[in-house]
């Protein structure tokens, strides 16, 4: 008794065909010439008969699989196998039924790494240091390929590690007995190799070699062999060094052929393993963007792209074109987020008195046709804080050697419009009073919402205010509008009990978040700026000083 591997015979020119039927149940006996599987190409269907009497031990394909010449179909146990095992593949082919298509190979494959008397040998899973089965996640060469000793045949993966199974033989891969997704243990059959020269008589592969991966898992669970490294953590790690990424040999080969740095590619496979499709998609994106990053919203400016998801599989969707402003905003946000080392500092300003004063202006404002909101006071206070803390009124010079100190104070104001976010600039805010600033706020916000701002209305800002006060929230971390170096996020004011030394007093507190470019601004500078700003807002008489 022995196990024979039945492979896909010559398909008469068809490259690959679909398995449409498994004809015998596992465990059932099969007679010579009885069909094992039925294959179907786009032109015809064909039966693959068993070349001998026996019993089906295991199917190595499933209905719906696409197979090609040489792929292993089934393991069949046969009493007659001893005789067959002594034959070469060619002899078996010659003796197989003429029509339908003959089965190509049936070679004895004893578990103990047997060598047939022909030149075909079976590569087995080497000692993986545990009794557990591990998954075959990648077949690294194709049937018909020449392999040399040391070339990786397949890649196995356990919960903790991946391992390449190298060939100990030099020859031609005639068939893969195992397929992707199979769970294999030490000694299981991997591939049938027609040996042209062999360094050793025994076909068992050596201990697997380690798959180089980006990071050792936190859990140092025993690896299958000392040479095997731990699998990466679940999140994708992106490395600039291609030798330090989680990818199989065939993916590495493809990347080498295409000149792709695997360190730049995000893996979408299990535990972020890089797949061939990831490499191909990376190249497609690079080509679309001219190879230099292109639109940040599309390419990620050189960082790995978030994999595309077909959301329609989860429910009804519609795809809506981004407005021009939304695209520009996406690019700017990503540029600033990637370029600027951000720090955000928080504080609350007591604006109880400011609000009393602001409300007292209501009647006069109605007469003037100007509504004064807290934003006008915040712009004025920010202008005063910039004057007192000129570090915030700088920009890094493009040469990286200098900074530019500005001696004018223009404050940008983020405006939420149906077409997207725009930032008109209130010029010379330090020189204007609350009425004038309020008028500017209304004019700019109206022009912005009507899409009538001129480019010059949005240029020359020194510092930006992003107010979500009318909308709500306790706080948020705004992104610096580079080359400016600071931005103030304003949230909704709330009455809060504030301790005055002997009692809690109800105070209207305004939450502020100051994000700054830490290349230009130190924490101390930011602390002073924020303290000054809070002081001015808490006591607006300081604005006049
Ligand atoms: N706390 C509590 N209430 C506030 C407030 C605050 N911090 N700021 C404004 N309000 C109130 C005002 O008192 C006013 O209420 P009343 O009408 O009762 O007096 C109302 O909110 C006015 O809101 P507004 O939005 O019309 O006017 P504004 O001057 O406060 O703001 C503007 C103008 C253009 C800044 C604002 O309309 C806007 O577009 N904000 C969104 C900015 C944005 O999108 N930032 C995010 C950018 S990053 O993604």
């Amino acid at each position: 008794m022995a196990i024979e591997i039945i492979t896909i015979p010559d398909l008469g020119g068809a490259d690959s065909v679909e398995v449409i039927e498994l004809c015998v149940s596992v465990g059932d006996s099969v007679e010579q010439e009885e069909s094992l599987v039925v294959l179907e190409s786009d032109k015809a269907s064909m039966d693959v008969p068993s070349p001998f009497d026996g019993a089906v031990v295991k199917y190595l394909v499933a209905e719906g699989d696409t197979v090609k010449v040489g792929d292993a179909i089934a393991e069949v146990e046969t009493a007659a196998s001893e005789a067959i095992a002594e034959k070469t593949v060619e002899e078996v082919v010659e003796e197989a039924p003429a029509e339908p298509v003959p089965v190509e190979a049936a070679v004895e494959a004893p578990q103990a790494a047997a060598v047939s008397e022909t030149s075909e040998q079976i590569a087995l899973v080497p000692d993986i240091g545990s009794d557990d089965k591990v998954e075959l996640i990648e077949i690294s060469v194709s049937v018909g390929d020449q392999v040399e000793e040391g070339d990786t045949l397949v890649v196995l993966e356990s919960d903790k590690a991946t391992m390449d199974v190298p060939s100990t033989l030099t020859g031609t891969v005639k068939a893969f007995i195992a397929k992707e997704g199979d769970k294999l243990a030490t000694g299981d059959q991997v591939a049938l190799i027609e040996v042209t020269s062999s360094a050793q008589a025994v076909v068992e592969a050596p201990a697997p070699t380690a798959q180089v991966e980006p990071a050792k898992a936190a859990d140092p669970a025993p690896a299958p062999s000392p040479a095997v490294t731990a699998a990466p953590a679940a999140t994708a790690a992106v490395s600039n060094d291609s030798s330090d990424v989680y990818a199989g040999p065939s993916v590495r080969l493809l990347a080498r052929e295409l000149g792709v740095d695997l360190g730049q590619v995000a893996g979408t496979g299990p535990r972020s393993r890089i797949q061939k499709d990831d490499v191909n998609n990376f190249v497609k994106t690079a080509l679309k963007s001219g190879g230099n990053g292109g639109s940040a919203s599309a390419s990620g400016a050189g960082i790995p792209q978030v994999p595309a998801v077909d959301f329609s599989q989860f429910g009804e969707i519609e795809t809506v074109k981004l407005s021009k402003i939304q695209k520009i905003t996406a690019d700017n946000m990503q540029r600033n987020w990637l370029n600027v080392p951000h720090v955000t500092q928080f504080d609350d300003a007591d604006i109880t008195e400011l609000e009393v004063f602001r409300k007292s202006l209501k009647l006069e404002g109605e007469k003037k046709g100007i509504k004064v909101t807290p934003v006008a006071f915040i712009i004025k206070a920010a202008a005063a804080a910039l004057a007192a803390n000129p570090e915030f009124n700088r920009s890094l010079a493009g040469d990286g050697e200098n900074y530019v100190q500005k001696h004018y104070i223009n404050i940008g104001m983020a405006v939420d419009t149906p077409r997207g976010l725009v930032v008109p600039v209130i010029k010379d805010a330090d020189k204007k009073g609350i009425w004038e600033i309020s008028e500017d706020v209304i004019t700019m916000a109206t022009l912005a919402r009507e899409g009538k701002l001129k480019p010059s209305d949005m240029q020359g800002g020194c510092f930006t205010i992003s107010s979500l006060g009318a909308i709500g929230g306790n706080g948020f971390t705004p992104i610096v509008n580079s080359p400016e170096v600071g931005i103030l996020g304003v949230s909704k004011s709330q009455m809060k009990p504030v301790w005055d030394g002997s009692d809690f007093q109800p105070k209207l507190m305004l939450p502020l978040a100051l994000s700054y470019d830490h290349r230009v601004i130190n924490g101390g500078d930011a602390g002073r700026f924020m303290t000054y700003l809070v002081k001015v807002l808490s006591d607006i008489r300081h604005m006049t000083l």
Side-chain angles (χ1 to χ4, degrees), residues 150-388:
D151 285 353
T152 300
L153 290 173
V154 297
V155 182
L156 307 178
E157 185 177 63
S158 71
D159 288 350
K160 304 285 181 230
T162 60
M163 51 207 123
D164 293 353
V165 176
S167 176
T168 47
L169 308 167
T170 295
T172 308
V173 178
K174 297 300 288 181
F176 272 98
I177 300 160
K179 62 180 190 311
E180 284 181 9
D182 279 359
K183 297 275 195 305
L184 303 178
T186 301
D188 279 354
Q189 299 168 349
V190 176
L192 178 66
I193 296 181
E194 187 179 55
V195 177
T196 48
S197 71
S198 172
Q200 46 189 103
V202 178
V203 292
E204 183 173 351
T209 57
Q211 178 70 52
V212 180
E213 291 158 2
K216 300 223 174 202
D219 172 10
S225 93
V228 177
T229 55
T235 48
V238 176
S239 163
N240 289 325
D241 179 356
S242 288
S243 68
D244 199 27
V245 294
Y246 187 33
S250 62
V251 172
R252 288 172 189 278
L253 178 66
L254 178 68
R256 273 200 301 279
E257 284 169 356
L258 297 175
V260 169
D261 172 7
L262 282 178
Q264 305 282 325
V265 181
T268 59
R271 289 187 287 288
S272 303
R273 185 179 174 81
I274 298 173
Q275 318 276 307
K276 283 184 178 171
D277 276 354
D278 298 330
V279 177
N280 289 329
N281 289 336
F282 181 86
V283 172
K284 275 187 215 157
T285 305
L287 287 173
K288 268 193 215 149
S289 66
N292 60 359
S295 162
S297 52
S299 74
I303 60 168
Q305 228 189 329
V306 177
V309 174
D310 174 13
F311 298 103
S312 65
Q313 63 186 305
F314 307 118
E316 201 180 319
I317 59 160
E318 64 174 319
T319 304
V320 182
K321 210 169 173 45
L322 286 170
S323 71
K324 201 171 170 213
I325 291 176
Q326 285 170 325
K327 277 200 275 187
I328 292 170
T329 302
D331 284 350
N332 288 344
M333 288 296 178
Q334 187 156 27
R335 181 198 65 197
N336 297 339
W337 180 256
L338 291 173
N339 280 306
V340 176
H342 279 74
V343 177
T344 305
Q345 163 155 359
F346 304 91
D347 208 345
D348 287 350
D350 175 357
I351 58 163
T352 318
E353 285 180 16
L354 185 155
E355 272 298 276
V356 172
F357 178 62
R358 185 181 74 85
K359 282 179 181 154
S360 75
L361 298 173
K362 197 172 174 198
L363 207 60
E364 199 181 341
E366 280 169 8
K367 278 190 207 150
K368 290 178 187 277
I370 298 172
K371 185 177 172 191
V372 180
T373 67
V375 168
F377 286 94
I378 296 164
I379 290 171
K380 184 72 187 161
L386 275 187

Side-chain angles (χ1 to χ4, degrees), residues 333 358 371 373-375 413-416 421 441 445 449 466-471 490-493 510:
M333 288 296 178
R358 185 181 74 85
K371 185 177 172 191
T373 67
V375 168
M413 173 184 70
V415 181
D416 186 27
L421 181 70
V441 167
R449 291 191 173 119
S466 175
S467 173
L468 295 177
I471 298 169
V490 181
S491 294
K492 191 176 180 65
S493 58
L510 180 70

